[in-house]
Amino acid sequence: MFQVLPDRETRSRANDLNLAKSMADASYQVVINAADITGHVEDITNRIVEQTELLGAVASSIKDMTEINTRIATSAHELLVGANIVTDRMSEVQAAATRSIGEAIGLIEDTATIVDRLPAIKGALDEIARAVDGFGEVARLRDRVVRRAASIAESTARNREHCEEILEDVAQLNDAELETKEDSKNVSNQCLQLSDLGAELYYTILASGVETADTPFIEVVIETAKTISAALEEALDDDEIDLETLFDEDYVQMPDIEPPKYTTRWLPLIEKLIPPICEPLSTMAPDVVLCTITDRNAYMPVNNLKFSHPPTNDPAWNATHSRYRIRHRDRISARIARSTKPFLVTVFRRRLGDRTQILKDVSSPIFIKGRLWGNVRMLILIKVENVDYILKQMDIHRAVEKMRGGDAAGIGKRTLDHGTERPEQRRDYPKKFCFHHAGRLKVIDNQDIQLFFAKDRLVFVQTEDGRQHSIRSTLSELEEKLDGSQFMRCHRNYIVNMNKIEYLTNWFNRGYLLTLRSTTKTEIPVSRVFVKHLKKYFEFD
C-alpha cells in the first residue's frame, strides 16, 4: 500500500507525535466548523436575496397603487368641475323658465284672443313649474355629489401619503437587506478563509507522517489516481484517443434536462474505464458516500451507480439521484479540481434533497503526460452528534498550550461555560422627562406624555392636552432611553405611549391606525414593519 512520505523539514518540527495528532484533530475540527458556518451563511444570503426580490415586487405594487390613487383623485376633481358646470346650467335653465312664465302671463293680460289657447298654456306652465321644482332636487343631489367627491379626494390624498410613507419604509428595509446580504458575504468569505487555513494545517501535519483516521482513505485515493493516470495514458498509447481530444473543454449541454447535464468528446472513454475502478471503492467503508472523478474544471462525467439513475422531468429528483455529467461551479469544487498537491482533505456542507450533510472530500490529482487532467474524489460522511459543537472549546488551544509548557487543564477551567444561565440585568428607566423651556428645564411625568414625533428634522414631545414642545434628541436616542413596556416605536416618525391608545383601526397594507386618548383624538399610523411589535402589547381576537 502506498505510504505518504513525510517531508524531512516538517518531520523535524513534529517530534512530539501525540502533539501533532492533537493539532491535526484540532485543525480538522476548525475545518468542520468553518464549513458548517459557511453553509448556514449561504442559506441566509439566499433568503435575503429572495426577500429583496419580494420587497421589489411590493414596492412596484405600491407604486402602481399610488398611480391608481392619483387617477382617482383626478377623476374626483373632474367630477367636481362637472358638478359645478351642471349647477351653472341649472341656473341658466331656471332663469329661462322664469322669463317664459313672465312672457306667458304678459300674453294672457294683453291679448284677449289667447283665451282659446289657455288650456295649452296652462299645461305648459304646469310642466315648467314641475321642472322648476325638479331643480331643487337636482341641487340637493349635486350637493351630495360634491360632498362625496370631496371625501374621495381627501381619502385619496391621505392614502397616497401613506403609500409614499410605505414606499420609504420599503426602501429603508431594502437598504438594510442589502447591507445584511453584504455582511453575510463577508462572513462567508472569512469562514472560507478559515477553512482554507485549517485544511492547510491539516495537510502539513499529515504530510509530516502523522497517521490519523483519514490516512487509509488518503492512501487509497492516491493509488486510485495513479491507476487512472496509467489507464488513460495506455489508451493514448493504443490510439484509442488522442491528447487533444482527452483535454477537450467543449462541454455540450444536453437538451431538456434540469439540472443541466453535459457531454464531451472524451466522455465515451471515461464511461468505459472509470466505473470499474471507482465503483468498488464507494463501499469500502460505511461512511463513504461516493468515489468518482472530476476533470480540472470540476466537470463530473460519471458517478457511482446509486447516483447514476436516468434523469426524469423532476429537477429535484434529478439533483439527488441523477448526479453524473454535471458541472460543479462552487468555490470548493474549483479549488479541489485545480489542486496539484499529492492529496487534499476538504470539509464542506452540502444540501442533498431534504438533507443537509457535512462531508469530507479526500482527493488526489490525475496527471496525463505530466499535465493535470483532473482528480479522484472520495466523499466521506461526517456524523455530528451535537449541533452545539461550534460553541465548544477548540482542542487547538490545548495543543498550543502544551507547546508553551502550560497546563491544558487550567485553560479548560477558564473556558466560558455556555450552559450557565446568567441572571438578567435589571434596567432602571427614567420616570420623568426634562426639556429646555424658556431658559429653564421643564419636567413632564412619563404618564402625561402622549407621544414623541419627528417633523421637519426636529423632534417634539406631545402631552395629553395637545401641547407640543421641541426637544434636543433624536427618536433613536429616545427609543434607547424610554421604557419599552410603556413606549413603542410604531413608525419611523413616531414613538407612542401605549397607555394612551384608545382605538385600533385596520389600515392600509395590513397596518393599523392608532387613535390616542385626548381632546384632539390624534391618529398615528403603524408601519407594517412595526405591527409585530404592536401585537406584543395587545391580545387580538
Side-chain angles (χ1 to χ4, degrees), residues 400-420:
V400 172
E401 194 63 22
K402 284 183 179 179
M403 292 176 65
R404 295 175 178 174
D407 182 7
I411 294 295
K413 292 178 182 178
R414 292 195 294 271
T415 302
L416 176 62
D417 184 1
H418 293 274
T420 304

Side-chain angles (χ1 to χ4, degrees), residues 29-155:
Q29 187 70 27
V30 170
V31 175
I32 294 177
N33 296 346
D36 196 36
I37 294 172
T38 302
H40 285 296
V41 171
E42 289 174 352
D43 290 344
I44 293 171
T45 303
N46 291 334
R47 287 196 292 271
I48 290 172
V49 172
E50 294 173 359
Q51 186 67 20
T52 302
E53 293 175 353
L54 179 60
L55 286 174
V58 171
S60 178
S61 298
I62 293 175
K63 288 180 180 177
D64 292 342
M65 187 171 296
T66 302
E67 293 176 359
I68 293 173
N69 288 336
T70 302
R71 290 197 292 271
I72 293 174
T74 303
S75 299
H77 177 71
E78 292 174 353
L79 183 59
L80 281 173
V81 173
N84 290 329
I85 293 173
V86 170
T87 302
D88 295 339
R89 183 60 179 163
M90 286 164 47
S91 300
E92 294 174 1
V93 173
Q94 188 173 9
T98 302
R99 288 194 300 272
S100 297
I101 293 172
E103 292 173 359
I105 293 174
L107 287 172
I108 293 172
E109 291 176 350
D110 296 341
T111 308
T113 59
I114 205 70
V115 173
D116 295 337
R117 301 177 61 187
L118 280 177
I121 293 174
K122 184 177 182 302
L125 291 175
D126 290 341
E127 289 294 330
I128 292 173
R130 281 195 295 272
V132 172
D133 290 339
F135 288 156
E137 181 63 25
V138 173
R140 286 191 293 274
L141 290 174
R142 179 263 180 193
D143 290 340
R144 288 175 59 185
V145 170
V146 170
R147 288 195 299 271
R148 181 59 179 165
S151 176
I152 291 173
E154 181 181 356
S155 298

Side-chain angles (χ1 to χ4, degrees), residues 180-240:
T180 305
K181 179 182 177 182
E182 189 64 28
D183 290 341
S184 298
K185 288 183 178 179
N186 293 335
V187 172
S188 179
N189 289 334
Q190 291 174 5
C191 289
L192 289 172
Q193 292 176 7
L194 178 61
S195 177
D196 288 346
L197 289 173
E200 189 66 27
L201 176 60
Y202 191 55
Y203 170 80
T204 302
I205 293 171
L206 292 176
S208 69
V210 177
E211 292 191 2
T212 69
D214 292 331
T215 300
F217 300 111
I218 294 172
E219 293 174 345
V220 168
V221 168
I222 291 176
E223 285 294 332
T224 303
K226 289 185 175 182
T227 300
I228 293 175
S229 296
L232 291 177
E233 289 185 349
E234 183 178 352
L236 285 171
D237 296 337
D238 293 342
D239 294 328
E240 290 186 58

